[in-house]
Amino acid sequence: MTRPPSTDAHGTPPREVYRVDWLPGTDVLHGTCHCGAEHADQDPVSMWEWMLAHPRGHAVSSPQEDSR
């Protein structure tokens, strides 16, 4: 029996991982969405609203764009 590709070995669907780090010495939070987009904000509520609004506002630049 094969499982659908959208599940792990236990049949659990994949989870989205969100990461929020505090930048020491500042009031700034740095967030990284599961899609790789990054955002900085001082307000934790605004940070989570941005995270949960995926994909709205989550433009991820390509490496070529970063080198310009």
Side-chain angles (χ1 to χ4, degrees):
M1 179 173 158
T2 61
R3 64 182 180 274
S6 61
T7 61
D8 66 10
H10 304 287
T12 305
R15 297 185 182 136
E16 297 169 345
V17 176
Y18 301 91
R19 181 179 189 132
V20 178
D21 297 310
W22 165 65
L23 301 177
T26 71
D27 292 333
V28 178
L29 299 170
H30 177 260
T32 306
C33 181
H34 63 91
C35 71
E38 297 180 341
H39 180 71
D41 206 311
Q42 291 186 357
D43 179 25
V45 173
S46 295
M47 175 61 74
W48 282 106
E49 287 174 345
W50 175 83
M51 290 272 193
L52 299 174
H54 174 85
R56 190 172 25 111
H58 291 223
V60 179
S61 60
S62 68
Q64 293 175 347
E65 291 176 12
D66 289 340
S67 63
R68 291 182 192 171

